Each structure stands twice: as structure tokens, then as C-alpha cells.
Amino acid sequence: MLTVENLNVHYGAIHALKGISLHVEQGEIVTLIGANGAGKSTLLKTVSGLLKPSGGKIVFENQSIGGKAAQSIVKAGLSHCPEGRRVFANMTVEENLMLGAYLRKDRQGIKDDLDDVYKRFGRLLERKNQQAGTLSGGEQQMLAMGRALMARPKLLLLDEPSMGLAPLLVKEIFNIVQEINKTGTTVLLVEQNAHMALSIAHRAYVIETGQIVLSGSASELADSEEVQKAYLGG
Ligand code: ATP
């Protein structure tokens, strides 16, 4: 579904991604784990068109999308739930959700998807007229995910959904990610919480200073000595 080949990204003189290759197959949850500053967010931003690569290829469903406008990438079926949620604080929950559907014209489909988001995230329904800035961190994460789902993506890019959340809430969010995947959405999940990410993913990549250093099934990586030492506190 998604193939990234020898991807290079620079911020001025900083070489943030140094020849990244990875793939995501339809139906999978693939996780990319790594420390602060390893390049995880940079990879997602480049795939979703927010950053331009300096080299390499990004192919989504046989279409080359590297360097294309973010809007056309959303239209192709790829949506990005960014790190730090980025909800619009002065708009209501429902207005934020509707923004996720701004490129769509299928009114009935949008309405059905809004109902689905409210079914999945009951707390958002209770708070649909509340200003998004007054939501708790966990609720804002749910809102950011709901907004990304309103684009009806085939592939959802999720950047650090666990950031800053209490353990119980992290569990709830990861359960929802699994449900979203089971109902047909492929997921590329970026996480610092390697333990949780490996517990729900099918496959995983480890990124260090802009390079993939390990890859395999999530259970293989969870058992690997290197991953245990560096990312699982073992
Ligand atoms: P985190 O979990 O802390 O967000 P990350 O793995 O997502 O880490 P990135 O945010 O992708 O890491 O950063 C990768 C590298 O690129 C880092 O060295 C970072 O300092 C650098 N970088 C990121 N954004 C910029 C920017 N706008 N300008 C210059 N350098 C940047």
C-alpha cells in the first residue's frame, strides 16, 4: 500500500532522514519506534506532504506522492494525525471534526462518518458543542484521531498518540487504534512508548538518527535484546 524508498530529508544543513526505506501493507498496523529526535515525525510529515524530500521515492497505492501537495495526498486516501494533537482550541468539537472532511463532497458519507466517530468516541458526542481548547489531553487526542478519520483514510498516520497521557488512557487509545484497524483502516503508528506500540502492531521498524536500524515482526522486535535494552527498559 505504502512504499518508502531511500528517503532523504534535510532541514537546511541538518540531514534528518538518511535513506529510509520501509513499507506498509494493506490491513497492517506498522509501528516506527525510536527516541526523541530520531526522525519519526519528520518521516510522517514527509509522507503526508508537509515536508519536501531531498531524495527518494514515496509510493502510495501505485501513485508517486513524494513532494506532492498535502491536499492531494489526503484526497488519495492518506490522513495524518499529528503529534501534539493540533486541535483548533477556539472551535467546537464538532467544528474540528468537520474540518477533517473539508475535501469531501459526499454529504451522506460525511454524516455517517460523523456518527461513527461519535460511536467510537462517546466522550466527543457528550462534548460536541464544547470548545476544543477546554478538553482534557486524552479527549483532545480522541478529537485529533476523530478528525483524521473524517477524511475516511485508507491509511492513517498516527504520531505519538500516547504522548502526555496517563497509563489507563494510553491503553484506551491503543484499544481504539486496534479497533480502527480491524474495521479496515491501515495504520502507520509512530511512538516513543515502544512497549504499547509493539503490543498492538503487526510489524515494526526502529529508527535511530534518521536511519532504520532494525525491522521485523512486532513480536520479534519485542523479544530482541537490542530493543529490550534500548526501548523497553529491560
Ligand atoms: P520527537 O519524538 O522528539 O518528536 P522525532 O523522532 O519525531 O522526535 P523529528 O521531530 O522528526 O524527531 O526530528 C528529527 C531531527 O530533525 C532532529 O534532529 C530535529 O532536531 C530535527 N528537526 C526537526 N524539525 C526541524 C526543523 N523544523 N528545523 C530544523 N531541524 C528540525
Side-chain angles (χ1 to χ4, degrees):
M1 181 178 232
L2 175 75
T3 310
V4 172
E5 228 177 87
N6 197 23
L7 188 67
N8 281 276
V9 177
H10 287 80
Y11 294 103
I14 296 172
H15 196 176
L17 298 185
K18 303 167 187 158
I20 297 268
S21 296
L22 56 79
H23 64 99
V24 180
E25 303 303 327
Q26 183 159 9
E28 285 188 308
I29 299 178
V30 173
T31 185
L32 179 66
I33 58 178
N36 259 323
K40 304 181 298 298
S41 300
T42 301
L43 178 85
L44 291 196
K45 285 179 190 161
T46 310
V47 170
S48 66
L50 301 175
L51 291 173
K52 300 256 178 277
S54 40
K57 267 199 216 160
I58 308 172
V59 177
F60 178 62
E61 295 204 306
N62 301 320
Q63 201 186 332
S64 172
I65 57 166
K68 286 216 169 142
Q71 196 163 324
S72 69
I73 294 174
V74 175
K75 271 196 179 151
L78 210 150
S79 100
H80 184 178
C81 180
E83 183 176 15
R85 351 286 194 212
R86 306 290 161 107
V87 301
F88 294 92
N90 297 324
M91 293 169 71
T92 66
V93 165
E94 187 147 308
E95 285 165 350
N96 270 275
L97 289 174
M98 292 306 288
L99 277 179
Y102 82 111
L103 291 172
R104 295 174 60 182
K105 296 197 171 68
D106 55 325
R107 282 196 173 187
Q108 189 57 45
I110 293 171
K111 192 179 169 303
D112 293 345
D113 286 349
L114 187 64
D115 289 344
D116 276 354
V117 166
Y118 283 143
K119 258 187 226 142
R120 214 180 276 293
F121 303 101
R123 289 198 229 177
L124 297 184
L125 176 62
E126 289 162 21
R127 293 163 172 78
K128 67 179 187 175
N129 297 317
Q130 190 172 321
Q131 297 235 313
T134 63
L135 297 176
S136 72
E139 290 158 2
Q140 289 192 19
Q141 181 59 44
M142 291 176 193
L143 179 55
M145 285 165 65
R147 183 180 56 190
L149 289 172
M150 287 301 293
R152 198 180 275 191
K154 296 175 192 162
L155 174 61
L156 176 65
L157 306 177
L158 258 180
D159 198 345
E160 301 232 9
S162 77
M163 196 170 66
L165 303 185
L168 257 180
L169 214 49
V170 172
K171 230 174 156 204
E172 189 179 337
I173 295 282
F174 276 75
N175 282 340
I176 295 172
V177 174
Q178 260 185 321
E179 276 171 28
I180 290 169
N181 174 250
K182 283 190 182 133
T183 49
T185 309
T186 306
V187 177
L188 176 57
L189 167 70
V190 155
E191 260 299 335
Q192 277 192 56
N193 187 334
H195 179 71
M196 286 303 294
L198 291 173
S199 77
I200 67 161
H202 301 104
R203 287 189 306 111
Y205 293 88
V206 178
I207 181 172
E208 278 176 15
T209 56
Q211 288 175 305
I212 301 290
V213 292
L214 278 174
S215 64
S217 73
S219 56
E220 264 165 23
L221 288 203
D223 289 343
S224 107
E225 207 173 305
E226 283 160 281
V227 171
Q228 294 219 349
K229 262 198 209 143
Y231 301 101
L232 298 172

